[in-house]
Amino acid sequence: MRASSTKAHAGAASEWPAPKTVTWPRTGRRRALASIGALLLLAAQPGRADRDLVEGLRLFEAGEYTRAAERFAASEDPRANTLEAVAKASIGQCQDALSDLSIRAAGPSDPYVSKLAALAVARCSIAEKRFDAGLSTLSELLKLQPEDPDVLYEIARLHLKGWNEAVAAMFAKAPASFRVNQLSAEIFEIQGRYDEAVREYRKAIEKAPATLNLRYRLGRAILMRSHEPSALEEALEQFRAELQLNPHDAVAEFQVGQILQVLGKAEEAMSHLERAVELDGEFPEALVALGKENARLQRHGRAIELLEKALELHPESEPAHYSLMLAYRNAGRRDDARRMQEALDRLQAPQEGEFSEFLRRIGEAP
Amino acid sequence: MHGEPVRYVDMAAQAGLTAQMPNGGDGEKRWILETTGSGAAFFDYDADGLPDAFLVSGDGGSNRLYRNLGGGRFEDVTESAGLSSEGWGQGVCSGDFDNDGWPDLLVTYWGPNRLYRNVGGTRFERVPIPDRDRYSTGCAFLDVDKDGDLEVFIANYLVFEPASAPEPGANPYCFYRNLPVACGPRGLAFARNELLWNEGTGRFTDVSDSSGIASPSRNYSLGAVTGDFNADGWTDIYVACDRTPSILYINQGDGTFRDEAVLRGAAFDEHGEALSGMGIAVGDFDRDGHTDLFRTNFSDERSTLYHNRGNGDFDDVTVAVGMGVNTRFVGWGCAFLDADNDGWQDVLLVNGHVFPEVERLVDSDLSYRERSVLYRNLEGRRFEDISQQAGPGIAEPRAARGLALADVNGDGRLEVLINSQNEPPALLAQVGGSAGEWLVLQLEGRDSNRSAIGAIATVRTAGGTQRREVRSGGSYLSQHELRLHFGLGRDRTADVEVVWPSGVRQGIEGLIAGQAHTIREEHSGG
């Protein structure tokens, strides 16, 4: 998939986080670590964990990190040094803690202690704006614990922090750049403030008229801004302008095709959809749209060929399954259509354990 | 017939349709129950040839029966007819279930539904039915086995109890665009639909399970309508469903039904996604002799037009015919109607957002009260949105729900009755416009059910052939008059063939345009 085509798959709302400075959720941290502390206590064999370690963990759980560090320092338990460093890191004494933590995090000790150490290292690195070091530590930890929410959360936080830093720097150092307008527009889009998004995109385009993707994003913001049918023509103009800049943009071709369909210009739409598929033969949405258009024209063979390819590229696609089911049906291949319907049913069935399962249980019996 | 455009004005106040129809909160709504009511009906309860109006009320008011006095005037006869009511009324449908010549009425409720027998065209009395306490919505009478007795189909929306229902904002299903709103339908338990079998003795039996009607178990059912969608001679049922796949019950000819909506292409939109189906209109927009479907949906969705391929398989042609441009409105009541009598069925839908709270949205073009939409049929190929030119009756914003059609004054133009939340009803009548010739047919069954539900009339003129079926239910929880209206363009005579549910075919040649004609079923023996 070429870079241009990824636009169709990435929703505007999911591409950028909000530009807020994220503060550390203190109570959340305490709760997460406290549970780990409890695990440590449980894991300790009777008599093995000394009183200082136990008391240190209790204080740590209570958020009294300075006193906890003191008790860990007094403990003879082999894990106590690491825990002391973790406690120090928790109150921002990273310089004191980092060297010990780095060793412990990488060492073959208790996995819970290693995780605590690695998380503390990452936090200290982030606090010192050494994002590469923090990311490196977390990436290693993620390999060991790929589903751990603490680790995933820290990674997300790290990216957010880095994003905030970069945004702040851009606004401070290049406030007149079109990139500032572009980013502002993208943020407004996320917030659903489409009028402002459109305004910022237009400013960006005025400053950098040859920049790719701006008109595409403007077109999308226009469509999101208004339900008026006139928005279709307005957006169409922008997608066409994007194509002027980059005639190889499959996604812009696709958007033009879609709008022309709604405007009742089926033949013209078809040529744009064909061009989108020509530019990117692995663009599932365009394949489905073109497949459906062929189906509408009773060109069953071509429709099925395109839709089967879309399904091959995106086996979980509900639109591809549905359109292929109808194409088979209309081609007289009823059994294949039923097979596709069964696959669609499976895709659309609520997952076990979801709230809907609860609803099914309390719903009416036949 | 594309001269002076059709224009509608609201004549309700002048006509005497003045009662406010309460339906929950107007500024905000706590429960989903406040969002779904209510329906409207035209039916000629006193058989005087003038369609009467019935409006269903939410809590705090009474359903209303307005007798058509002629000359565009109505009289409120609710009390004398025995139809005063209370409670959360939802839908209405009409059919003569005891075949005595007086059309009866079913009103659905959150709570026990009410079947009313029409006693001699003067009053109504309740008839017990084997019905549970539910949140019922759409309904329809139909003769499932073609024995001449009408069965009753009832759509049930979901399981709702205020005592256990979550409050606005209580969970992710209780928000709309970050506003806390009434919860549901997602997050609330599904309900199953019902079929009540007419034993022919004035008694009904619940056959929901054995008939297969209760089999679909993951649907939030709203509008329901009857029709022979696969042209096999047996009456089927279509149900518009909210946030879940719509249902197409295909009559198997042995008293049972099977939901075939998915494979037949009538459950989803063109992407295979379940929309928020509300109302349903049935017609033959391209005059190919096959029954097409139009379903109203939510905002940010499109109303869906399904074209029947002839065997009951459907294609979503919404975009292809030009109906893809409107995505703002939450659509409810709807109908195919030949507004300009040019022989091509246009489409009317009434709108109104579910949540009054949308008025608080900033940077949004949504509003709680919304205008109606009128699409002109361009000879079966495309539709053109002519709402902006269609007069104040269409432009007026409403929190509309039910919609029913009838030729109230016998002028060959269909009036539109609209039941809106917390407003008096609207009665849209045409003024001006260049209308064509017309024909109204009232069908009366003898071996078939008296209401002729399921009968199909084909009208042939020099300008072409049109086909209509007598249906119960339809629109949004509403009932159009049972008479069939045809626009004839410039043609002044028509040949008519009626195929009755009994199988009898009956032809009448040379019917004169500009009149209502009654056609009684001939016995199969002649």
Side-chain angles (χ1 to χ4, degrees):
Chain A
M1 184 69 60
R2 268 196 292 279
S4 64
S5 300
T6 59
K7 287 188 292 194
H9 317 301
S14 62
E15 287 182 34
W16 296 97
K20 293 175 183 168
T21 303
V22 174
T23 53
W24 185 255
R26 185 179 171 83
T27 52
R29 173 181 60 173
R30 191 179 300 168
R31 196 176 303 118
L33 294 182
S35 63
I36 293 165
L39 279 169
L40 274 168
L41 278 173
L42 287 171
Q45 292 170 3
R48 190 172 168 215
D50 61 34
R51 290 187 58 179
D52 287 314
L53 182 73
V54 173
E55 183 59 13
L57 285 168
R58 191 191 65 75
L59 290 165
F60 190 90
E61 283 192 43
E64 297 185 41
Y65 303 116
T66 304
R67 290 178 63 201
E70 288 168 7
R71 297 307 293 259
F72 289 137
S75 170
E76 293 180 0
D77 189 285
R79 295 164 291 188
N81 282 349
T82 309
L83 290 167
E84 182 191 351
V86 169
K88 284 181 176 173
S90 299
I91 51 176
Q93 295 176 10
C94 285
Q95 291 293 349
D96 293 351
L98 257 179
S99 58
D100 195 32
L101 282 172
S102 300
I103 297 162
R104 298 292 176 175
S109 67
D110 185 309
Y112 297 112
V113 177
S114 294
K115 174 180 147 180
L116 284 178
L119 288 173
V121 167
R123 283 179 203 131
C124 284
S125 302
I126 295 166
E128 293 172 358
K129 300 189 178 178
R130 294 187 299 108
F131 299 122
D132 287 348
L135 186 59
S136 169
T137 306
L138 288 169
S139 299
E140 288 303 313
L141 190 55
L142 190 65
K143 285 178 193 165
L144 299 171
Q145 306 195 39
E147 294 174 8
D148 188 300
D150 291 330
V151 179
L152 292 167
Y153 174 79
E154 287 298 337
I155 291 174
R157 182 173 162 263
L158 173 73
H159 286 297
L160 195 57
K161 188 91 175 169
W163 190 86
N164 278 332
E165 294 285 334
V167 171
M170 186 167 72
F171 276 75
K173 293 175 182 169
S177 162
F178 80 93
R179 292 293 187 191
V180 168
N181 302 109
Q182 182 182 9
L183 190 61
S184 301
E186 288 167 356
I187 292 163
F188 283 134
E189 266 193 272
I190 296 160
Q191 296 172 339
R193 294 157 66 181
Y194 298 110
D195 270 339
E196 287 149 295
V198 166
R199 201 156 45 238
E200 289 297 320
Y201 278 128
R202 289 197 194 283
K203 285 182 195 167
I205 290 168
E206 201 177 318
K207 290 177 186 174
T211 302
L212 297 183
N213 211 27
L214 289 175
R215 287 177 173 78
Y216 175 85
R217 295 296 295 248
L218 173 58
R220 282 186 36 161
I222 288 167
L223 289 176
M224 296 297 288
R225 180 177 63 168
S226 168
H227 292 87
E228 281 299 320
S230 59
L232 291 167
E233 296 277 8
E234 206 183 333
L236 180 63
E237 191 184 325
Q238 296 305 324
F239 294 132
R240 283 188 155 142
E242 185 72 40
L243 279 174
Q244 289 281 318
L245 290 174
N246 178 14
H248 300 285
D249 189 332
V251 179
E253 286 283 5
F254 171 71
Q255 291 283 13
V256 169
Q258 297 265 284
I259 292 178
L260 288 171
Q261 279 183 323
V262 176
L263 293 176
K265 298 172 180 172
E267 277 183 33
E268 204 184 333
M270 182 86 158
S271 69
H272 284 276
L273 294 176
E274 278 172 347
R275 173 83 176 138
V277 169
E278 191 183 305
L279 288 169
D280 185 350
E282 299 189 348
F283 184 178
E285 287 85 350
L287 287 164
V288 169
L290 187 58
K292 283 177 3 191
E293 197 57 17
N294 275 278
R296 189 180 67 79
L297 298 168
Q298 310 291 321
R299 298 172 188 159
H300 302 306
R302 175 71 175 141
I304 288 169
E305 179 191 342
L306 289 159
L307 293 166
E308 284 178 340
K309 185 168 182 191
L311 195 58
E312 190 184 315
L313 289 166
H314 193 181
E316 303 294 304
S317 164
E318 292 177 21
H321 275 89
Y322 183 68
S323 302
L324 187 54
M325 178 194 81
L326 295 180
Y328 283 145
R329 183 200 71 181
N330 293 349
R333 293 167 59 177
R334 210 83 185 176
D335 287 344
D336 287 327
R338 285 200 186 87
R339 184 171 52 79
M340 206 49 52
Q341 183 190 350
E342 286 164 12
L344 181 66
D345 287 346
R346 282 194 296 276
L347 282 174
Q348 294 187 331
Q351 291 176 7
E352 287 295 322
E354 274 198 357
F355 187 48
S356 52
E357 276 306 302
F358 166 73
L359 297 178
R360 185 178 59 77
R361 287 198 303 277
I362 64 170
E364 287 188 319
Chain B
M1 285 291 146
H2 300 319
E4 195 183 334
V6 166
R7 284 173 51 82
Y8 285 94
V9 294
D10 182 3
M11 307 291 284
Q14 295 94 312
L17 305 175
T18 53
Q20 190 92 356
M21 303 307 293
N23 240 311
D26 202 43
E28 55 189 37
K29 292 184 185 290
R30 186 177 178 194
W31 310 120
I32 192 168
L33 180 59
E34 299 170 63
T35 69
T36 51
S38 297
F42 274 122
F43 76 124
D44 185 6
Y45 83 95
D46 53 359
D48 63 355
L50 297 170
D52 308 297
F54 184 81
L55 293 141
V56 183
S57 173
D59 195 37
S62 171
N63 302 330
R64 296 280 170 179
L65 176 63
Y66 288 99
R67 180 166 175 260
N68 188 341
L69 303 173
R73 294 287 304 167
F74 287 80
E75 174 191 14
D76 188 337
V77 295
T78 309
E79 281 189 31
S80 62
L83 287 173
S84 296
S85 63
E86 54 188 26
W88 288 98
Q90 298 292 309
V92 57
C93 54
S94 177
D96 184 1
F97 75 82
D98 53 2
N99 288 322
D100 64 353
W102 304 102
D104 308 302
L105 205 61
L106 177 71
V107 186
T108 64
Y109 278 84
W110 175 68
N113 296 317
R114 296 168 197 181
L115 176 61
Y116 294 101
R117 184 201 313 273
N118 182 340
V119 183
T122 56
R123 64 184 176 86
F124 290 81
E125 63 182 24
R126 275 187 73 174
V127 177
I129 48 175
D131 189 28
R132 283 185 271 165
D133 236 13
R134 303 199 189 193
Y135 188 166
S136 299
T137 48
C139 64
F141 289 88
L142 72 161
D143 186 357
V144 173
D145 58 349
K146 299 195 284 193
D147 68 346
D149 295 325
L150 290 173
E151 277 70 54
V152 177
F153 171 82
I154 301 173
N156 290 308
Y157 189 36
L158 46 79
V159 178
F160 173 77
E161 282 301 331
S164 57
E167 296 279 345
N171 66 50
Y173 302 130
C174 314
F175 284 91
Y176 179 73
R177 296 195 175 202
N178 293 325
L179 292 170
V181 295
C183 303
R186 287 199 302 178
L188 299 175
F190 298 112
R192 294 169 190 258
N193 298 327
E194 293 171 79
L195 184 67
L196 307 181
W197 195 268
N198 188 340
E199 301 291 357
T201 56
R203 212 168 64 85
F204 286 86
T205 309
D206 187 338
V207 295
S208 310
D209 297 334
S210 59
S211 64
I213 288 291
S215 293
S217 61
R218 287 181 176 275
N219 309 78
Y220 296 121
S221 297
L222 287 172
V225 70
T226 62
D228 181 7
F229 299 108
N230 59 348
D232 66 350
W234 298 92
T235 302
D236 312 303
I237 306 165
Y238 185 83
V239 186
C241 295
D242 192 4
R243 303 304 298 258
T244 49
S246 291
I247 300 169
L248 177 53
Y249 289 109
I250 295 294
N251 189 332
Q252 303 296 302
D254 59 0
T256 69
F257 291 82
R258 197 163 58 204
D259 175 18
E260 300 181 6
V262 174
L263 188 58
R264 289 186 178 275
F268 301 119
D269 73 351
E270 61 167 335
H271 306 297
E273 188 176 340
L275 302 182
S276 301
M278 310 289 193
I280 185 74
V282 185
D284 177 11
F285 77 89
D286 59 348
R287 300 201 322 204
D288 65 355
H290 309 307
T291 306
D292 309 308
L293 293 166
F294 176 84
R295 188 188 59 214
T296 50
N297 300 308
F298 209 76
S299 59
D300 294 315
E301 300 174 347
R302 297 172 176 130
S303 293
T304 313
L305 180 64
Y306 295 110
H307 177 249
N308 191 332
R309 297 174 66 85
N311 59 352
D313 287 349
F314 292 87
D315 292 322
D316 181 341
V317 296
T318 311
V319 169
V321 301
M323 286 182 168
V325 293
N326 281 315
T327 57
R328 175 185 299 171
F329 308 111
V330 179
W332 300 89
C334 54
F336 282 98
L337 79 167
D338 190 348
D340 51 3
N341 286 338
D342 67 348
W344 297 94
Q345 288 187 292
D346 310 299
V347 172
L348 173 66
L349 61 150
V350 294
N351 305 300
H353 210 282
V354 171
F355 308 118
E357 292 87 345
V358 296
E359 295 294 344
R360 297 181 206 154
L361 288 170
V362 260
D363 219 0
S364 163
D365 59 359
L366 298 177
S367 54
Y368 177 50
R369 290 184 166 78
E370 298 173 324
R371 68 167 170 85
S372 305
V373 173
L374 179 62
Y375 289 109
R376 178 161 59 193
N377 186 336
L378 304 178
E379 300 188 343
R381 295 187 305 274
R382 285 189 67 77
F383 285 86
E384 176 190 11
D385 183 348
I386 57 166
S387 313
Q388 305 288 3
Q389 305 97 54
I394 299 295
E396 178 73 27
R398 303 181 181 87
R401 296 294 186 268
L403 173 155
L405 300 177
D407 180 2
V408 163
N409 51 8
D411 67 353
R413 298 185 183 200
L414 290 169
E415 278 71 39
V416 183
L417 178 66
I418 302 171
N419 192 357
S420 302
Q421 294 206 318
N422 299 307
E423 293 173 27
L427 181 66
L428 306 190
Q430 285 186 39
V431 289
S434 53
E437 299 291 342
W438 56 275
L439 192 69
V440 166
L441 300 179
Q442 174 156 5
L443 307 186
E444 192 177 300
R446 292 169 76 181
D447 289 338
S448 303
N449 69 85
R450 187 76 173 253
S451 301
I453 291 165
I456 295 169
T458 303
V459 168
R460 294 184 179 85
T461 64
T465 300
Q466 298 181 59
R467 190 175 167 276
R468 305 263 196 283
E469 182 174 337
V470 181
R471 305 172 196 287
S472 181
S475 182
Y476 177 71
L477 317 189
S478 294
Q479 174 72 62
H480 305 305
E481 71 163 321
L482 293 174
R483 295 188 306 178
L484 302 176
H485 171 270
F486 295 83
L488 301 182
R490 294 188 175 85
D491 296 320
R492 297 199 50 79
T493 61
D495 296 338
V496 177
E497 182 188 56
V498 179
V499 179
W500 299 88
S502 63
V504 168
R505 285 178 178 271
Q506 192 172 341
I508 303 114
E509 293 185 349
L511 283 183
I512 305 296
Q515 296 177 25
H517 301 268
T518 298
I519 301 175
R520 293 187 178 82
E521 180 182 12
E522 291 172 348
H523 286 300
S524 48

